[in-house]
Structure formats: C-alpha cells, structure tokens
Amino acid sequence: MEYKKIIDFIHDIYGGAEFVPLSVPVFIGNEKKYLNECIDTTFVSSVGKFVDRFENDMAEYTGAKKAVVCVSGTNALHMAMMLVGVERDDEVLTQALTFIATCNAISYTGAHPVFIDVDKSTMGLSPDALKDWLQKNSEIRNGQCYNKSTGRRIKACVPMHTFGHPVRIEEIADICAEYRIELVEDAAESIGSKYKGIHTGLFGKVGALSFNGNKTITTGGGGMLLFMDEELGTLAKHLTTQAKVPHRWEFRHDHIGYNYRMPNINAALGCAQLEHLDEYIADKRETAKAYEEFFKNVDGIEFFTEPADSFSNYWLNAVILKDKDAQQKFLQETNDNGVMTRPIWELMNRLPMFEKCQHDSLENTIWFADRVVNIPSSVRL
Ligand SMILES: *Cc1c(COP(=O)(O)O)cnc(C)c1O
C-alpha cells in the first residue's frame, strides 16, 4: 500500500498543515457581529430575533413548511419520536450503521430499535431489506403494524442519510405508507443534501438536523426539526418551549413540555453559518472530487461517491478498504502521520444497550463496518 503517497496527498490538499483534523468548523462571516448583537441587546437566551430568523431562513433554504430549532440533534430526534406517537414498548426500525444519537432518541421514549440492513450504494437504510423484513416479520391489525414474534407495535422507521449521502428515501416512504409506519428522517448529517432535488428531511412526517461542532454548519450545539405539515410543526414549537400558553404575564402550560429550544446566541451563530452554507458544500464537493480522482489510482481503496438521483453535501468523506486488516492498518498509518481518520461507528447491535435488539442479516452493514474509514473533510476555504 502506498501510504506515504496517500498521507502526502491529504496534507497537501489541506495546505500542508502538519496535523489534518477530520472535520472542524470555519467562521468566515458574520459570526462575531451577530454574537455581539446578542450580548449588546442582552438577548442571549431562549428568545430573540436570531431564533426566529434561523427558523425562517432554514425553512426557506430547505423548502420546509416549518422549521423548529432545538438544543441538539439528539433532542430533535427525541421530539420527533414523540410527535409521531412512538410510545413505551413500541418498536422503531432503523440502521445499526448510525451514530448512537438515533438509537438513544428511540430509547428515551421506552421504545426498542430493530436493525435493518443498509444499501451498498448509499450506506443508509435499504428499502429492499426493509420490505423483506416487514413481509416476513410483521402483520397489520386494526390499521397498525405489529411484529409477529414480539407482539409489539412497529410505530416508526428512522432511516439515516449516512455521511450526507441520501438513502433511497422515496421507496422507503412508500413502504412505510403501505405498512402504516411513520417515517422520521435522521438528516443530522445531510443538511443541503437532496434526493431528486428535494432536501433530505422532507420525505417523512418529521426530519431532524444537527448543528453540532463537527457538522457541515454549526451553532456550537444545536438541532432542528423540519416539517411539511405546518400544524405538526406548530405543535413541535409549543412542546419544545415548555408548552406555555401564550400570554403577556400568566404562566399556564397545557402539556408536559420540554426545554428544548435553542438559545438566541446559538441561533445567531447558525444565521451567520447559513449565509455560507452553499459555499461550504461546493468546497466539500470539490474536495470529494479531488479524493475521487486520487483514489482511482490507488489499488485496494475505493472512494465512496454520492448515490444515484442524489446531491450529497459530502459531510464526511469515506474510503472503503479491502478488509478489516487493511482498515486497521490504514487507521494506524494515517493517525501516526498527522492525518486524523477514524473507522465508521461501532455497530449499534454490538453495544451493550442494544445487543438484544432484533435485527436482520445486516450483511452490508457488517461489510461496511469492517472496511470504512473516514478521512479529513473540513471546508478548505
Ligand atoms: C450528529 C448526529 C446526530 C445528532 O447529534 P447532536 O450532537 O445531538 O446534535 C444524530 N444522528 C446522527 C446520525 C448524527 O450524526
């Protein structure tokens, strides 16, 4: 393996830096100006103009009917589970190949994840595997889908657009509709990514985004819910803000509410970052193109490219090694030589909290787990 050539190339495209991190934010716009405005006006907390502006700007950017800010992507997903009616002892179909937040959010409601395989072409939930599992394992009773072996209700399905690459979401949406399962998209990694021209997160009842520090744009920490159903979005706004009935001085609440609202200072950062999002994505796609061309001439390593019908933000670039030994060797060589890389997440079904959860063969999932390595992906501007 030509490790030196690979390591030199990565140092090179990142301007010769001695250490190349995996994914770090860039602040080249109005960040400081907007943050100062928050401090100067004292609006640093849960209300302020940047909260409203960020929601409006993001709704416009994505094409959502409504966007609702949250404190993190994880609690955006938790809220999404509650909004579609996931309850204790329900089951939720998702990927084992995801970041822990997807499964944590499912677990907060008392529901159980069931792990379905991913596609080779997308690294995300496979509609073929989903259909196959549902045909064998589920039945519809009283208009609801049930797992024949556990007797539990299958309430929702949460595909995740891995590393920003859209899954075959239309087919998944059709299957969910056929089986009366609510569709929630974990679009935490896929801001700006589109499937057939439509922004990810808009195909189901709810989509969740993340603005954590390592994501394509950041608010420090933060998340967002996207809706095409405006009424559901309005309910989300109410529930994420302690379910307070609007009144000038009275404190009355009509639901168990949550303090999940993003503070104004974080939203200020988000507004400034969003002004440059398209520039960042263009830059990331250029980096991906450079990697793609480079790895064409490297034996035994394949660069993962955007699937058909999709526009990917290339949040995190990924290469596929030929087996687990090659993966481990690649991780060792790059991390020893100033290039930060990491394997894909430990599979969810291998973690102690989820090892008893039902799953299908996970054939492609395991194939990827043994081979994928993420390589530096920060914006290079
Ligand atoms: C980042 C991420 C989240 C949300 O994470 P937060 O840090 O809570 O914003 C959820 N799901 C996936 C797949 C993610 O990558």
Side-chain angles (χ1 to χ4, degrees):
M1 186 59 64
E2 311 144 87
Y3 292 111
K4 184 164 184 335
K5 194 176 115 187
I6 297 166
I7 289 159
D8 285 349
F9 177 76
I10 296 176
H11 279 293
D12 206 42
I13 62 168
Y14 279 96
E18 205 168 305
F19 173 73
V20 187
L22 195 67
S23 178
V24 290
V26 290
F27 303 110
I28 55 167
N30 287 318
E31 284 87 355
K32 282 185 181 166
K33 182 176 164 214
Y34 294 169
L35 284 172
N36 274 334
E37 203 176 315
C38 293
I39 292 165
D40 292 344
T41 60
T42 77
F43 280 96
V44 296
S45 193
S46 56
V47 292
K49 74 170 201 193
F50 288 114
V51 169
D52 300 331
R53 181 179 147 187
F54 192 39
E55 289 180 338
N56 291 334
D57 289 357
M58 278 297 299
E60 194 187 315
Y61 181 85
T62 58
K65 287 267 161 51
K66 199 163 171 67
V68 175
V69 286
C70 290
V71 176
S72 71
T74 307
N75 65 34
L77 281 166
H78 179 211
M79 183 53 60
M81 291 298 111
M82 293 189 283
L83 286 168
V84 302
V86 173
E87 292 174 355
R88 179 161 296 281
D89 292 329
D90 280 343
E91 289 178 356
V92 176
L93 310 178
T94 190
Q95 310 168 196
L97 197 83
T98 186
F99 177 58
I100 189 72
T102 320
C103 293
N104 279 343
I106 293 166
S107 302
Y108 298 159
T109 64
H112 305 268
V114 172
F115 301 116
I116 307 293
D117 206 6
V118 296
D119 271 330
K120 272 274 180 75
S121 59
T122 69
M123 260 197 253
L125 193 76
S126 162
D128 305 319
L130 178 66
K131 178 119 201 169
D132 191 54
W133 188 87
L134 282 165
Q135 272 169 357
K136 289 182 184 133
N137 294 283
S138 76
E139 61 187 359
I140 307 274
R141 279 189 267 129
N142 306 321
Q144 309 235 35
C145 189
Y146 286 87
N147 183 326
K148 284 194 285 191
S149 62
T150 62
R152 290 177 182 142
R153 182 174 69 159
I154 301 166
K155 186 62 187 175
C157 175
V158 189
M160 196 278 281
H161 303 287
T162 307
F163 305 145
H165 301 301
V167 300
R168 290 156 60 196
I169 190 67
E170 266 183 357
E171 290 161 86
I172 292 172
D174 287 345
I175 296 165
C176 287
E178 183 187 339
Y179 283 85
R180 325 281 169 86
I181 295 170
E182 303 286 4
L183 176 58
V184 172
E185 286 172 82
D186 184 342
E189 303 182 355
S190 63
I191 189 169
S193 297
K194 292 169 186 169
Y195 184 79
K196 295 187 181 167
I198 295 170
H199 198 282
T200 50
L202 301 183
F203 291 83
K205 224 172 195 168
V206 194
L209 305 179
S210 167
F211 304 108
N212 191 36
N214 62 347
K215 295 284 171 23
T216 303
I217 60 170
T218 186
T219 58
M224 187 169 267
L225 292 160
L226 299 179
F227 301 91
M228 289 311 280
D229 176 344
E230 201 170 343
E231 213 172 298
L232 193 64
T234 303
L235 175 63
K237 189 76 203 169
H238 186 57
L239 294 178
T240 53
T241 52
Q242 301 285 33
K244 185 177 178 296
V245 180
H247 191 281
R248 281 168 64 202
W249 53 80
E250 277 177 12
F251 274 84
R252 288 177 69 84
H253 306 262
D254 61 1
H255 256 281
I256 301 232
Y258 296 80
N259 183 11
Y260 277 4
R261 184 179 194 167
M262 177 189 285
N264 201 46
I265 44 173
N266 300 85
L269 211 49
C271 288
Q273 289 265 289
L274 182 56
E275 291 170 353
H276 291 274
L277 175 58
D278 283 335
E279 225 177 300
Y280 293 168
I281 292 175
D283 178 274
K284 288 167 87 73
R285 289 178 61 85
E286 238 175 72
T287 304
K289 198 81 209 155
Y291 277 136
E292 187 184 345
E293 291 305 315
F294 174 78
F295 282 109
K296 271 180 190 162
N297 301 312
V298 179
D299 278 345
I301 301 186
E302 197 190 315
F303 181 74
F304 195 84
T305 54
E306 70 192 345
D309 300 320
S310 294
F311 176 87
S312 173
N313 66 7
Y314 281 93
W315 168 58
L316 266 194
N317 292 302
V319 287
I320 299 175
L321 281 295
K322 72 178 192 313
D323 56 27
K324 190 157 182 88
D325 286 345
Q327 179 197 46
Q328 296 304 310
K329 179 89 175 128
F330 186 93
L331 286 164
Q332 186 81 47
E333 290 288 335
T334 47
N335 283 294
D336 281 351
N337 290 286
V339 172
M340 185 176 168
T341 62
R342 62 164 207 213
I344 201 163
W345 315 278
E346 178 69 278
L347 298 180
M348 294 299 111
N349 59 306
R350 292 174 177 167
L351 301 177
M353 311 78 80
F354 303 116
E355 66 191 4
K356 294 200 175 71
C357 293
Q358 204 172 358
H359 57 77
D360 68 6
S361 78
L362 300 180
E363 189 184 331
N364 295 338
T365 302
I366 293 163
W367 190 89
F368 280 124
D370 288 343
R371 289 167 179 78
V372 172
V373 175
N374 290 120
I375 57 178
S377 304
S378 310
V379 168
R380 295 186 290 155
L381 289 169

